[in-house]
């Protein structure tokens, strides 16, 4: 897969029978946006995806890893049921209390069109297998494996 113009927002790594990626950002919001971009890059060339459709997404989960799983799963649901692909993401994550994390996002993309969009791998599901969230000063990295 070619991720030449992604400005080091993500990278892929080898996983038997699945696709793994590490996504990066200045903070957790940026890293979640990069993870979404990486997941859609598995499916198509995201540089060909125009921003003609906007969706708002709200997700609540018990911890950050569940939030990451639920966030990517919600995007996959929109892809599967509305045939949408996305390439721009604005994410805001807040911790409401010790056991509630809230994500609100705006995402932009368009209907998948095989005449325009390259057909790559079908992402069937997001997994918790080897999922990681790592924070360092001025940087956050996520590791995700998707079932293809």
């Amino acid at each position: 897969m070619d991720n030449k113009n992604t400005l080091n927002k993500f990278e892929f790594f080898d996983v038997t029978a699945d696709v793994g990626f590490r996504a990066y950002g200045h903070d957790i919001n940026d890293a979640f946006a990069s993870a979404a971009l990486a997941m859609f890059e598995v499916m198509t060339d995201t540089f060909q995806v125009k921003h003609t459709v906007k969706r708002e997404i709200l997700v609540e989960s018990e911890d950050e890893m569940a939030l990451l799983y639920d966030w990517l799963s919600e995007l996959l649901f929109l892809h599967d049921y509305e045939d949408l692909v996305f390439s721009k993401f604005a994410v805001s994550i807040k911790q409401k209390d010790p056991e509630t994390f809230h994500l609100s996002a705006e995402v932009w993309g368009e209907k998948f069109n095989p005449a325009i969009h390259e057909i790559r791998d079908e992402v069937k599901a997001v997994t918790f297998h080897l999922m990681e969230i790592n924070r360092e000063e001025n940087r956050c990295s996520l590791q995700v494996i998707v079932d293809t």
Side-chain angles (χ1 to χ4, degrees), residues 31 33 59 78 93 99-101 121 129-130:
V59 179
L78 288 172
I93 297 170
E99 295 181 12
T100 309
F101 289 80
D121 289 333
H129 182 65
L130 299 177

Side-chain angles (χ1 to χ4, degrees), residues 6-42:
T6 59
L7 304 174
N8 298 320
K9 292 183 181 192
F10 62 85
E11 64 185 355
F12 294 99
F13 62 91
D14 290 331
V15 181
T16 306
D18 291 323
V19 174
F21 58 83
R22 292 182 189 93
Y24 306 99
H26 296 292
D27 59 24
I28 196 161
N29 299 321
D30 289 343
F32 269 56
S34 295
L37 184 63
M39 183 176 75
F40 281 99
E41 191 69 21
V42 171

Side-chain angles (χ1 to χ4, degrees), residues 17-68:
D18 291 323
V19 174
F21 58 83
R22 292 182 189 93
Y24 306 99
H26 296 292
D27 59 24
I28 196 161
N29 299 321
D30 289 343
F32 269 56
S34 295
L37 184 63
M39 183 176 75
F40 281 99
E41 191 69 21
V42 171
M43 298 180 227
T44 192
D45 178 357
T46 57
F47 292 102
Q48 300 302 316
V49 177
K50 294 184 176 123
H51 305 145
T52 59
V53 173
K54 177 183 168 186
R55 292 286 184 269
E56 294 182 11
I57 297 175
L58 301 172
V59 179
E60 244 182 41
S61 303
E62 66 273 8
D63 60 41
E64 289 177 330
M65 288 224 286
L67 193 67
L68 177 58

Side-chain angles (χ1 to χ4, degrees), residues 28-29 32 35 57-75 91-96 99-104 126 128 131 133 135 142 144:
I28 196 161
N29 299 321
F32 269 56
I57 297 175
L58 301 172
V59 179
E60 244 182 41
S61 303
E62 66 273 8
D63 60 41
E64 289 177 330
M65 288 224 286
L67 193 67
L68 177 58
Y69 175 91
D70 292 342
W71 155 242
L72 295 175
S73 295
E74 182 67 21
L75 291 170
V91 178
S92 176
I93 297 170
K94 294 184 171 53
Q95 185 173 359
K96 290 175 117 178
E99 295 181 12
T100 309
F101 289 80
H102 179 81
L103 177 148
S104 60
V126 180
F128 277 106
M131 185 179 280
I133 297 176
R135 283 194 176 84
L142 312 173
V144 177

